[in-house]
Amino acid sequence: GIVLLLHIQIGLIFAVVLFPFFAARLKAIGPRVLAATLVLFLVPASPALMHFYGMLASGLSNSSFTLDYINFRHPHHFALLSASAAAWVVAHLAVQCAAYYWLRNNGLREARATGVLMKMSLMIAALSLLHFLDYYVLQIGAISKIQLLRLSPVITLFGTLSLVTALTVWEKERQSEERRTVILRPAAVCLIAVALLRSGYSLVRSPSAYKFAVNRYADQKTSWVDMCLWIRDHGPTGTTYVTPPDKGGFTYLTNRSTVVEYKINPDGGLYLAEWYERLRDVCGTTLPEARGYENYPRLRDAYGSLNSDQLSALAEKYGAGCAVLQASSQVDFETLYQNQDYRLVMIPRDRTN
């Protein structure tokens, strides 16, 4: 229920994965505990479920929400990351199976918990395969829209837990046979050393990707954030802004409205047609045909090629009074503010009437 409150799709998939374990214990649970469990599940989940119902009613699954849209907007949420990533997941599944069967064959009590993790991982893998079958082969879209692969990262977590459990039990068994006490178990020490080396390597390779503090968007020292903060403090109010569609966070940073952003799209199918229309307008009527992140430079270049007449037409259609242009833009409008990469201009009123 709490997971559903935070993320509808992950919550639903998690509920599907847990349901077989719950169903297997229905007789032992009894009606009173069952009723209490349902209440404890549905109460925290009800806001998310009501929101989900509203999204469905407003067009979440209508014909506009197609595979073409997915491939244009965010294929990284649906596609296989890489062959090596798939192999890594398969390796963790193999580790879980090996750990479970070794523990069970030796009659060890840890086998039951490891078996639960293994079964959950196998169910998540099966759901992920169903997702990929729809996305790559059937291309229906109805199944892949649920994004059944959302929980696949936990397979590596469960694989690590199973490996640690099996090695710890093996170490205890070995030490008990030798009848001596060892303060530091070699298997555990090796795992800790590998973890420290791997995390240290990640920090050295990409130091900017890891921080121990909250990294607020408004605190970033970029020309885009600088432009947005200037607009927040000094920019005209009561008007819509035309902004580069490849840049995100304009409304959040400025407390002003923008015509459209590529990143901020309708969460459902109801307004997708309007979103597409606005994107086409700010790109000079033609959208790029790339996939996902590959569209960012193409959107930037298309927007940067707009001339004065096209910006004036946008202003008239959407009631815009200002535009954030690239500093290299040749559009000859009054400049309100400029930094290294961007220029804020006023769109002349006489051009929009």
Side-chain angles (χ1 to χ4, degrees):
I2 295 297
V3 176
L4 269 171
L5 182 64
L6 299 176
H7 197 288
I8 293 173
Q9 289 160 314
I10 294 176
L12 289 174
I13 299 165
F14 198 47
V16 169
V17 171
L18 291 179
F19 180 77
F21 301 98
F22 183 75
R25 297 191 57 200
L26 278 178
K27 291 184 179 179
I29 289 175
R32 293 181 61 183
V33 176
L34 175 61
T37 301
L38 289 175
V39 170
L40 292 172
F41 175 81
L42 291 174
V43 168
S46 57
L49 292 175
M50 292 174 61
H51 179 63
F52 184 61
Y53 174 78
M55 290 167 61
L56 289 174
S58 64
L60 174 65
S61 57
N62 74 4
S63 57
S64 297
F65 199 79
T66 62
L67 283 176
D68 289 336
Y69 160 75
I70 289 171
N71 290 327
F72 172 71
R73 172 63 177 74
H74 50 190
H76 50 282
H77 286 179
F78 297 82
L80 181 66
L81 183 62
S82 66
S84 59
W88 187 247
V89 172
V90 170
H92 278 80
L93 281 172
V95 166
Q96 291 180 68
C97 293
Y100 168 69
Y101 284 110
W102 180 78
L103 292 168
R104 191 189 67 174
N105 291 338
N106 285 276
L108 300 169
R109 60 186 178 87
E110 289 84 358
R112 183 175 180 275
T114 306
V116 170
L117 297 182
M118 180 191 71
K119 293 171 185 175
M120 290 180 66
S121 294
L122 290 173
M123 283 190 286
I124 294 170
L127 292 174
S128 299
L129 289 175
L130 183 61
H131 168 97
F132 290 126
L133 175 66
D134 180 35
Y135 185 70
Y136 286 107
V137 181
L138 302 177
Q139 296 188 346
I140 299 172
I143 299 173
S144 53
K145 286 179 186 177
I146 307 172
Q147 299 180 41
L148 294 174
L149 75 169
R150 283 281 194 172
L151 284 184
S152 56
V154 303
I155 293 177
T156 58
L157 173 62
F158 291 166
T160 303
L161 289 174
S162 299
L163 177 62
V164 171
T165 300
L167 288 177
T168 301
V169 172
W170 171 78
E171 191 71 26
K172 289 169 65 177
E173 292 288 315
R174 186 181 66 82
Q175 290 183 19
S176 62
E177 290 176 0
E178 295 179 2
R179 295 183 180 180
R180 61 188 182 87
T181 301
V182 179
I183 298 176
L184 294 177
R185 298 189 173 100
V189 172
C190 288
L191 284 174
I192 293 172
V194 169
L196 289 174
L197 289 172
R198 181 68 180 85
S199 58
Y201 170 73
S202 299
L203 286 170
V204 172
R205 185 183 63 177
S206 326
S208 59
Y210 301 91
K211 294 182 181 296
F212 291 100
V214 176
N215 185 18
R216 296 178 65 248
Y217 192 14
D219 293 336
Q220 293 183 9
K221 305 301 181 184
T222 65
S223 55
W224 171 248
V225 172
D226 170 72
M227 173 59 71
C228 290
L229 294 183
W230 191 93
I231 294 172
R232 181 195 65 184
D233 296 334
H234 309 288
T237 59
T239 187
T240 299
Y241 285 69
V242 185
T243 61
D246 62 299
K247 303 304 294 184
F250 179 82
T251 301
Y252 159 72
L253 291 169
T254 64
N255 198 28
R256 307 290 195 277
S257 295
T258 184
V259 172
V260 68
E261 286 185 13
Y262 174 75
K263 176 64 176 176
I264 307 301
N265 65 312
D267 198 357
L270 185 60
Y271 298 105
L272 274 180
E274 181 180 348
W275 180 75
Y276 270 118
E277 180 182 359
R278 288 171 176 250
L279 271 182
R280 290 190 188 95
D281 287 343
V282 300
C283 289
T285 72
T286 303
L287 286 177
E289 297 181 355
R291 291 169 52 87
Y293 294 129
E294 297 173 0
N295 282 304
Y296 281 99
R298 292 170 172 82
L299 289 167
R300 181 176 62 249
D301 293 342
Y303 176 75
S305 65
L306 295 179
N307 57 38
S308 302
D309 292 336
Q310 289 173 308
L311 284 171
S312 297
L314 283 172
E316 182 176 3
K317 183 174 182 177
Y318 296 108
C322 299
V324 178
L325 307 176
Q326 297 168 10
S328 59
S329 173
Q330 300 301 310
V331 172
D332 188 20
F333 288 165
E334 177 188 356
T335 298
L336 299 180
Y337 179 71
Q338 182 170 349
N339 60 26
Q340 181 180 357
D341 297 307
Y342 298 99
R343 181 162 61 100
L344 175 65
V345 301
M346 287 284 294
I347 303 176
R349 291 182 178 273
D350 58 348
R351 288 176 176 261
T352 63
N353 295 327

